[in-house]
Amino acid sequence: MTKTRKRNILVATAVISVIVLLILFVVTPAMAVQGIIGAAKAGDAAALEERVDFPALRASLKDELNARMRAEVREQLRGEDPGLAALGMILAPSLMDSAVDVFVTPDAVAAMVSSAEAPGVKDDGASDSGNDGDIRRSYGFRDPNTFVVTLTDPDKAGQPLKLLLERRNLVQWKLAGVDLPDRV
């Protein structure tokens, strides 16, 4: 074999390797999302437990809810009864943490995927259609190791719920976080 032929084979192998890695980079999170959606539709708790990092998801939801609660309490501190608001600021995080630990279950994740609402959060006057066919999904990367699935209920278009999938290895992704809508 000539040097040129060896070089061409090496270049072709490198190009094919890069293409395969790019395909894996794009396809594997999409497959993980479809697995989560399929398990949610089927009500398969065991499959959801394999695809969701529940401790990380709970921690993410606690952070989101506690940040929102602190902002609301700060608003109330400026209001008429700052003493009561300060007491709420002290007690609320532990109550919120306990509630999240109870509410974030495989069934709650299935409902979240189907309704684009965080577990335990219901909008007053919102219909609970439970029909995930109406939920719009968009996909994208936040960074190379975080894939974002944005779920939007057409009735609440300004309130998307973002599911955060994190890379566990080259080809495995797990639901590990959530970004709540600005107003729940």
Side-chain angles (χ1 to χ4, degrees), residues 18-141:
V18 168
I19 290 171
V20 167
L21 285 174
L22 286 174
I23 289 172
L24 283 175
F25 185 75
V26 173
V27 171
T28 56
M31 288 173 47
V33 169
Q34 292 308 315
I36 291 169
I37 291 168
K41 283 182 181 179
D44 188 349
L48 280 172
E49 286 184 24
E50 290 176 9
R51 291 170 170 83
V52 177
D53 181 348
F54 279 99
L57 180 62
R58 287 183 182 108
S60 172
L61 192 55
K62 287 175 188 179
D63 290 346
E64 288 280 320
L65 291 172
N66 282 325
R68 178 168 293 158
M69 190 174 300
R70 280 192 302 272
E72 289 177 12
V73 169
R74 273 191 222 110
E75 278 295 316
Q76 292 176 359
L77 282 172
R78 295 185 195 126
E80 298 172 8
D81 195 359
L84 187 58
L87 180 62
M89 193 168 214
I90 293 168
L91 296 176
S94 62
L95 294 173
M96 185 65 64
D97 289 354
S98 298
V100 168
D101 288 339
V102 169
F103 281 115
V104 179
T105 63
D107 291 336
V109 171
M112 181 172 59
V113 170
S114 298
S115 68
E117 289 183 350
V121 176
K122 291 288 179 195
D123 189 7
D124 295 337
S127 64
D128 187 19
S129 64
N131 183 1
D132 122 294
D134 293 342
I135 302 301
R136 294 187 190 117
R137 294 184 209 99
S138 60
Y139 310 94
F141 284 93

Side-chain angles (χ1 to χ4, degrees), residues 13 18 39 55 104 150 184:
T13 303
V18 168
V104 179
T150 303
V184 178

Side-chain angles (χ1 to χ4, degrees), residues 118-182:
V121 176
K122 291 288 179 195
D123 189 7
D124 295 337
S127 64
D128 187 19
S129 64
N131 183 1
D132 122 294
D134 293 342
I135 302 301
R136 294 187 190 117
R137 294 184 209 99
S138 60
Y139 310 94
F141 284 93
R142 180 171 285 179
D143 60 52
N145 294 316
T146 306
F147 189 73
V148 180
V149 181
T150 303
L151 304 174
T152 307
D153 184 339
D155 296 334
K156 299 178 247 168
Q159 300 178 10
L161 177 69
K162 296 180 181 177
L163 306 178
L164 309 176
L165 280 76
E166 293 180 353
R167 182 187 305 275
R168 295 297 186 229
N169 57 37
L170 183 62
V171 295
Q172 184 184 30
W173 294 80
K174 284 196 171 195
L175 176 59
V178 62
D179 281 348
L180 296 176
D182 291 336

